[in-house]
Amino acid sequence: MEEARSDTAPTSFAYRLRRDAGGVMDRIRPLWGRRLFRWLTILLGGFLLAIFLFWLIFARGLPDAATLLEYEPPLPTMVRDINGQPVHSYARERRVQLQYSDYPPLLIRAYLAAEDKTFFEHHGVDFPGFAGAVADYVSKLGSGQRARGGSTITQQVAKNLLIGDEYSPTRKVKEMILAWRMENVLSKQQILELYLNQIFLGRNAYGVQAASRAYFDKDVADLSLPEMAYLAILPKGPANYRPESETGHARAIERRNWALGEMERNGWITAAQRAQAQAQPLGTVTVRGSSFDARAGGYYMEEVRRRLIDRFGEKAADGPNSVYAGGLWVRSPYDPVAQERTKDALRNGLLRFGAGRGWSGPVGHIDPDRGWARELAASYVGVDYEGWRVAVVIDRSSSEAQIGFSDGSTGTLPASMAQTPYRRTGGPAFAALKSGDLIVVAKNGADWALRTIPEVSGGMVVQEVHSGRIRAMQGGFDSRLSSYNRATQAQRQPGSTIKPFVYAAALDNGMTPASIIVDGPLCVYQGAGLGQKCFRNFSGGSAGPQTMRWGVEQSRNLMTVRAASQTGMDRVVRTIKAMGIGDYQPYLSFALGAGETTVERMVNAYATLANQGKQNPSKVMDYVQDRRGKVIWPERWRPCDGCNMANWDGKPMPRFGFEGRQVMNPMTAYQVVHIAEGVVLRGTATVLADLKRPLFGKTGTTNGPTNVWFVGGSPDLVAGVYVGYDKPRSLGGWAQGGRIAAPIWKAAMAPILETMPKTPFVAPAGIRMVTIDRRSGKRVYGVWPTNDPKPAVIWEAFKPETEPRRSIRKEEAEAQAKAADAKAAAAVARGRQRTDADFLQDQGGIY
């Protein structure tokens, strides 16, 4: 019974369905026989089908106009310097976002007159204008000409922000649909704000404020009526009204005057205002206006850009705070004065080293047959040094070369002005010039003279001790010739600049500045694989037992290796790693600087020494704000409440907590700094002694020598510099850190330090200052150290309970000093001449 019921139920339902449907058809058949009903049904079906097809072709997939309520235009990232002034920007679209109320009413009327006079009357579509555009399109079919747009400002916003610039009737219809939707979602003021901030107006300017700066070097609030009218004609085609060309200038005047006439016809200006404005010249500037020098910073700003991209991404697709679209504001410790000093000092040092070595060759090459001016401009190769310019060799005869510049101008390079020997061939540089070569030249009367970019390079960093903020950075001769930043990217052997950290490990493990270390041959068995390694000073000589201080001041390699061996290389490399220099294996050669590191790391490590072992990460950014001013980096950034008060409110002053971390015993760090002060006073960096202020530091020279270094500074500022070829090779036997790197450091830092007080290095709690004999390390009673750079008795820094127990009298210390002086005088009397090998021995740096 159950099965029977289940079988008949579906059948009954199907029957009822057919019966009901048949009933409906029975009622429709008589009506369908009537012609009017039949035609009305067909028309209704056709209408519904047309609506469906219209949706399918035009409206399906269109973006939601409501998204424009949250739209944020791509904005450049701006960088401020240590004084808060804008100094650089990263932008592919130059744009400044303003609110509707920021635009002068007359400027808005100028755009309405030129683009959409009925903007405030229509609902997104101007139907009479659209009908005219359709007629124009039909008349130009097959001619290859582009019909006039007929788009309202609302349609232009829809095109630019939502659907793109495809030239087709389909796009025009989509434009109208979106414009209608936008008018339902946004106010007229919001639509105008989007339009005025978004439109492209030439000279890489997007938006009216950016264009105002680009063409007139003014803000929109300062524009005159004819200037407003000129900007208003640009949306139709900025290239048509370029003021640089004669044709474009004439077109611009004509079209601007037309816009002024339209403003008068709409009653927005008087006839007198129109006549006065039409009589004015365009008044555009020849270059894009800017509130900052686009060339400022060079390597420094490139490093800021690199770190921003690593953190926030490059393009809008990478996130809302991308470098080229996020509108970030970056506060940096960049010091324009210090940067200029650093740049000039390193450049001049490289030029001094390269002087007399011949022409280094072209700085690049292009294909002149593809349009040399355009190719040269697109190469972005340039130089910013005392009027030097990059030029391309267009043609060369036996007596002169025709050269061209990126602005399209040309000049002559006589053969007599290019006779410097070419390093690769030995012949005159002029003979090596080829068409398409990019060379550096300088003005010489009516002609040009060849200049050479030093083949040797280097890097320099200046950093604040107590914060880690980098004030200046130079990573080569010119960032437009090579973006490779040798201050942060070049991995170089530090040579003897590593020695203070070797001795820091020794001081942490039982030694003192007065400990006696033998300056003599040392051989170490390094295992079955490496065998026995013997170390020696450069000249092969030795000085016997000496104090640790003397070994640092004179940069004795054998003493350094012996101290490392006695301390244990595992402890030494741990100290070096803790200072952020590098992660090395426990081999003795690393105690002499055989590892690799960067200038930035070495400077930060020396700043940590001067900061009594407190390490702050080196940084080129203080904080980063998004486009609305919210600080988004550092992540734990907190504002200083009360720091900007006009008057003291009587409450406790704001205090900043300690940042960074303690990576070295403060007393050890001070001992190393105190010893390294002797390097400047009487060691390998005496070229800095005449600055007559508390300084510490260490020179360095690596095997070859391939690198020369000096790193050091004051209690508040530390800087480091190295010089070497990008592909390491010998700099020449005479090259030394004290001879090449230290003078560069001095040239950069002397004027910077002059603006700072002469503050001494302050010892941390627990340090005991004891008078000792400088040469023997024995404690001395009854005498005070003098200001003589090489006194017999000095103050030495000791940790508690480590100072020497034995003592000598004043007379004994003075006698020992006189004996040492007599020995040196006798060597001079015998006519012994110092050689480069002697200098290398004093300087150190076998590795």
Side-chain angles (χ1 to χ4, degrees):
M1 292 296 293
E2 292 298 326
E3 291 182 1
R5 279 197 295 269
S6 63
D7 289 339
T8 58
T11 303
S12 299
F13 175 76
Y15 171 75
R16 288 198 303 272
L17 188 63
R18 287 195 302 272
R19 182 195 63 192
D20 294 342
V24 172
M25 292 303 298
D26 290 340
R27 286 194 293 269
I28 290 178
R29 279 194 193 99
L31 295 174
W32 186 258
R34 300 177 182 178
R35 180 180 300 178
L36 178 62
F37 179 81
R38 190 165 58 248
W39 280 107
L40 287 176
T41 303
I42 292 172
L43 287 174
L44 177 62
F47 178 72
L48 293 175
L49 179 62
I51 291 177
F52 174 74
L53 292 175
F54 182 86
W55 173 85
L56 188 67
I57 297 172
F58 298 110
R60 187 181 63 147
L62 284 181
D64 187 354
T67 58
L68 294 177
L69 289 170
E70 301 177 356
Y71 173 75
E72 293 181 336
L75 293 179
T77 290
M78 304 292 295
V79 182
R80 296 182 184 271
D81 66 12
I82 195 172
N83 302 311
Q85 296 299 315
V87 291
H88 201 81
S89 74
Y90 309 110
R92 295 197 175 107
E93 297 180 1
R94 297 288 177 185
R95 179 184 282 109
V96 179
Q97 186 176 10
L98 299 181
Q99 295 180 346
Y100 177 80
S101 59
D102 296 326
Y103 290 101
L106 198 58
L107 176 65
I108 294 174
R109 291 186 180 121
Y111 274 93
L112 295 182
E115 293 292 313
D116 190 356
K117 291 186 281 292
T118 61
F119 174 75
F120 281 100
E121 284 75 47
H122 62 65
H123 194 77
V125 180
D126 179 11
F127 288 103
F130 175 70
V134 171
D136 189 48
Y137 178 80
V138 172
S139 67
K140 292 178 179 177
L141 279 175
S143 67
Q145 299 179 2
R146 185 161 181 164
R148 64 184 177 89
S151 295
T152 65
I153 284 179
T154 311
Q155 287 177 260
Q156 292 183 52
V157 173
K159 175 187 69 175
N160 293 333
L161 300 184
L162 297 176
I163 59 175
D165 195 21
E166 176 195 1
Y167 179 61
S168 69
T170 302
R171 191 263 298 167
K172 185 64 67 175
V173 175
K174 292 180 178 180
E175 223 178 70
M176 295 171 64
I177 296 171
L178 280 174
W180 189 273
R181 292 179 180 177
M182 285 171 56
E183 293 277 352
N184 292 330
V185 174
L186 304 175
S187 68
K188 291 287 187 179
Q189 290 75 16
Q190 288 174 315
I191 294 171
L192 270 176
E193 181 179 310
L194 287 170
Y195 175 75
L196 296 173
N197 283 328
Q198 182 69 25
I199 50 174
F200 174 65
L201 299 173
R203 292 194 177 182
N204 198 31
Y206 291 77
V208 180
Q209 169 63 21
S212 179
R213 275 288 172 188
Y215 288 98
F216 300 108
D217 199 15
K218 294 180 180 180
D219 293 324
V220 291
D222 301 323
L223 292 172
S224 64
L225 175 59
E227 291 168 346
M228 293 177 183
Y230 172 73
L231 294 181
I233 69 172
L234 294 177
K236 282 290 189 288
N240 297 326
Y241 309 114
R242 293 177 60 224
E244 297 85 7
S245 70
E246 185 176 346
T247 304
H249 187 274
R251 288 175 179 169
I253 290 287
E254 180 183 0
R255 187 69 177 175
R256 182 203 66 177
N257 292 346
W258 168 84
L260 289 167
E262 290 296 304
M263 293 181 73
E264 181 193 359
R265 277 187 285 277
N266 282 277
W268 293 331
I269 59 174
T270 64
Q273 286 178 305
R274 186 262 309 155
Q276 183 181 10
Q278 288 180 341
Q280 298 297 317
L282 281 185
T284 56
V285 295
T286 56
V287 294
R288 183 174 63 247
S290 174
S291 59
F292 54 87
D293 183 359
R295 299 172 299 172
Y299 288 101
Y300 193 110
M301 293 303 158
E302 175 60 20
E303 186 64 25
V304 174
R305 187 187 75 92
R306 188 180 294 114
R307 298 189 187 188
L308 283 171
I309 288 175
D310 288 344
R311 186 169 295 277
F312 299 109
E314 181 177 0
K315 299 174 292 186
D318 298 324
N321 298 316
S322 63
V323 173
Y324 287 100
L328 304 179
W329 285 88
V330 181
R331 184 62 178 263
S332 78
Y334 170 80
D335 184 339
V337 175
Q339 178 65 29
E340 197 68 19
R341 301 291 189 187
T342 301
K343 179 182 69 175
D344 290 346
L346 182 60
R347 281 180 168 180
N348 292 334
L350 298 178
L351 287 169
R352 281 196 306 271
F353 183 89
R357 294 173 179 265
W359 184 54
S360 58
V363 296
H365 189 85
I366 63 172
D367 184 358
D369 296 332
R370 299 175 60 183
W372 59 262
R374 183 180 65 254
E375 289 290 303
L376 178 56
S379 71
Y380 296 105
V381 176
V383 63
D384 178 26
Y385 181 79
E386 294 187 355
W388 291 11
R389 296 183 67 181
V390 171
V392 59
V393 178
I394 302 173
D395 191 21
R396 179 177 68 87
S397 66
S398 59
S399 59
E400 64 181 26
Q402 189 77 7
I403 59 176
F405 301 97
S406 58
D407 58 4
S409 62
T410 60
T412 302
L413 174 65
S416 59
M417 295 291 101
Q419 291 300 304
T420 304
Y422 186 24
R423 294 178 189 175
R424 296 185 181 179
T425 64
F430 186 81
L433 296 179
K434 303 187 302 296
S435 177
D437 281 347
L438 302 185
I439 59 175
V440 178
V441 296
K443 195 70 176 174
N444 184 38
D447 297 321
W448 296 85
L450 185 66
R451 293 291 182 262
T452 185
I453 299 297
E455 193 174 3
V456 72
S457 197
M460 186 170 183
V461 171
V462 181
Q463 178 180 310
E464 293 178 0
V465 166
H466 305 293
S467 65
R469 304 167 78 212
I470 294 178
R471 299 266 291 270
M473 176 189 297
Q474 186 69 12
F477 190 84
D478 196 304
S479 60
R480 290 188 294 171
L481 293 173
S482 169
S483 62
Y484 180 56
N485 191 340
R486 295 154 189 86
T488 61
Q489 295 176 296
Q491 297 286 334
R492 313 295 294 203
Q493 292 181 334
S496 295
T497 57
I498 203 73
K499 291 178 180 177
F501 306 99
V502 176
Y503 287 108
L507 290 168
D508 271 337
N509 288 276
M511 290 190 181
T512 75
S515 293
I516 299 299
I517 305 172
V518 176
D519 182 33
L522 176 66
C523 294
V524 178
Y525 181 70
Q526 302 183 103
L530 297 174
Q532 184 164 276
K533 172 71 173 178
C534 291
F535 296 88
R536 65 186 185 90
N537 288 319
F538 188 85
S539 64
S542 58
Q546 301 289 341
T547 63
M548 177 189 289
R549 169 179 284 278
W550 186 87
V552 176
E553 291 177 355
Q554 302 305 317
S555 196
R556 306 296 285 190
N557 295 317
L558 286 173
M559 294 179 66
T560 305
V561 173
R562 195 176 297 274
S565 179
Q566 293 176 5
T567 303
M569 273 305 296
D570 55 339
R571 295 188 176 99
V572 171
V573 295
R574 256 200 320 268
T575 298
I576 292 172
K577 181 179 180 180
M579 300 299 288
I581 297 171
D583 189 3
Y584 306 140
Q585 296 298 313
Y587 302 139
L588 282 173
S589 57
F590 288 115
L592 297 176
E596 292 183 336
T597 188
T598 65
V599 179
E600 181 188 14
R601 292 179 187 173
M602 289 303 297
V603 169
N604 187 253
Y606 273 73
T608 302
L609 290 176
N611 200 30
Q612 297 186 356
K614 301 184 187 76
Q615 186 180 66
N616 292 294
S618 57
K619 54 187 178 181
V620 293
M621 299 181 292
D622 291 331
Y623 56 85
V624 180
Q625 298 167 280
D626 65 14
R627 65 174 68 208
R628 296 178 181 82
K630 178 184 177 182
V631 175
I632 56 176
W633 183 87
E635 296 175 354
R636 292 176 293 176
W637 184 88
R638 291 183 301 171
C640 179
D641 297 326
C643 287
N644 294 324
M645 293 175 59
N647 297 297
W648 183 42
D649 60 1
K651 296 180 180 179
M653 298 295 286
R655 293 289 185 269
F656 293 93
F658 168 67
E659 295 182 1
R661 57 198 181 98
Q662 193 78 39
V663 296
M664 181 179 286
N665 185 318
M667 290 187 285
T668 300
Y670 178 77
Q671 285 179 303
V672 173
V673 170
H674 190 59
I675 293 171
E677 285 185 88
V679 175
V680 175
L681 291 174
R682 51 188 165 265
T684 57
T686 54
V687 67
L688 307 177
D690 61 359
L691 295 180
K692 299 191 181 302
R693 63 185 305 127
L695 294 174
F696 83 111
K698 185 71 186 72
T699 54
T701 306
T702 62
N703 191 32
T706 57
N707 303 286
V708 290
W709 291 73
F710 180 79
V711 189
S714 71
D716 300 308
L717 213 58
V718 166
V721 59
Y722 95 88
V723 173
Y725 292 103
D726 287 343
K727 292 184 178 179
R729 69 174 191 264
S730 176
L731 295 167
W734 62 278
Q736 289 298 315
R739 182 176 288 180
I740 297 175
I744 293 174
W745 189 99
K746 182 178 182 181
M749 295 298 292
I752 299 174
L753 293 172
E754 282 180 3
T755 64
M756 305 174 68
K758 295 182 178 181
T759 55
F761 293 95
V762 178
I767 282 289
R768 299 185 180 184
M769 303 303 294
V770 176
T771 52
I772 67 167
D773 173 39
R774 181 171 62 88
R775 296 305 299 268
S776 69
K778 294 181 179 180
R779 192 166 184 171
V780 177
Y781 289 96
V783 62
W784 292 92
T786 67
N787 292 328
D788 182 1
K790 296 182 179 181
V793 177
I794 62 170
W795 289 109
E796 193 59 272
F798 293 92
K799 295 175 183 175
E801 306 301 326
T802 65
E803 61 269 27
R805 298 300 180 187
R806 295 173 296 170
S807 63
I808 60 174
R809 297 188 302 276
K810 171 185 176 181
E811 295 78 9
E812 185 178 352
E814 290 175 346
Q816 290 179 354
K818 289 179 180 179
D821 292 340
K823 183 177 180 181
V828 174
R830 290 194 297 269
R832 182 177 181 273
Q833 299 295 320
R834 288 180 60 81
T835 65
D836 287 342
D838 294 323
F839 194 83
L840 283 168
Q841 175 186 349
D842 292 343
Q843 181 68 14
I846 293 177
Y847 292 90

